[in-house]
Amino acid sequence: MPGMAGRALSFGAVAEVYERFRPGYPAELFDTVTAYAGRPVRTALEIGAGTGKATRLFARRGVAVTATEPDEAMLAELRRHVPASVRTVRAAFEELRPAVRYGLVYAAAALHWTEPEGRWPRVAALLEAGGVFASFGGPFRLADPAVAQAVRAARAPFLGSDEIPSPDGTPPEHDMQWPGTELQRSEWFTDVRQSVLARRSTMSAADYVSHLSTVSAYLVLPAPEREQVFHRILRVLPDRVDMTADLTVHLARRRAAD
Ligand SMILES: C[S@@+](CC[C@H](N)C(=O)[O-])C[C@H]1O[C@@H](n2cnc3c(N)ncnc32)[C@H](O)[C@@H]1O
């Protein structure tokens, strides 16, 4: 099975499906970030913007967003859905060479794909003194435990978990989760906060499987196995499924000193 590097750049193959079947981000998220900032957020750099689901949240509320993304197919999809004011840059986080600093740097369901080595000095170099870093995302889970168990059993011959393990191994029962844990240890940041915003949805079984087809753990399976696993999952699903996709939000402030 391909490793995490293969998973990181697996999304472009399904950019349109991704855009259609992944949920967007709630207005409450914008409010959470701006309330934390405590001052107007005028400029932002987004890491791993994908098809622009979080780009829209900020750009439509007047923030000048620079959306960066390494995958050209994702970026092409993003350009169809974001206001013309959004600047786009095709680059992985590690390739960014900042010429200016931003009031906000954020990553939506993307930070775990970036290189751990040098991550925080790199983010700090993109931020104004006192600027805000935000990272948010969370696993998509079936709300009904019986349905979730049936799906686990259906995919077991091909795949154990379809979630992403904590990048720094923080156990799920810990109060502070990654990347808050790394931010707390970083000399570059202060005032680290974690909060959770509820995000729920109900969809048809077919749409749920379409959604799964945008999840990296399935994307990197060989095509015949992927087809089989989706077929097996579809067989155990009720007509409609409830999903929880709560967002864990991490916020931190760049220290003033360089
Ligand atoms: C799960 S998608 C999230 C997309 C979008 N931010 C969203 O919330 O819908 C992860 C994105 O991270 C991008 N990515 C992978 N490796 C990256 C890296 N090293 N630097 C920046 N982005 C990366 C992928 O191409 C993909 O578009």
Side-chain angles (χ1 to χ4, degrees), residues 207-230:
D207 283 2
Y208 176 70
V209 171
S210 295
H211 174 270
L212 288 186
S213 76
T214 72
V215 173
S216 64
Y218 299 93
L219 279 168
V220 295
L221 287 176
E225 289 188 19
R226 193 163 60 231
E227 288 316 307
Q228 273 191 69
V229 78
F230 289 154

Side-chain angles (χ1 to χ4, degrees), residues 5 7-12 18-19 22-23 25 46-55 68-72 74-75 91-96 106-115 136 140 164 199 214 216:
R7 285 176 71 169
L9 293 177
S10 63
F11 301 99
Y18 188 105
E19 173 55 29
R22 288 270 186 135
Y25 296 97
E46 180 173 2
I47 299 164
T51 65
K53 287 186 178 284
T55 320
T68 71
E69 162 61 46
D71 189 315
E72 183 51 43
M74 294 298 262
L75 214 44
F93 169 62
E94 300 76 13
E95 298 165 335
L96 296 174
Y106 68 94
L111 195 72
H112 49 277
W113 299 125
T114 64
E115 279 291 322
F136 42 87
F140 301 98
I164 292 153
R199 198 172 53 157
T214 72
S216 64

Side-chain angles (χ1 to χ4, degrees), residues 122-140:
R122 244 178 225 123
V123 172
L126 290 162
L127 275 173
E128 295 164 358
V132 171
F133 173 71
S135 174
F136 42 87
F140 301 98

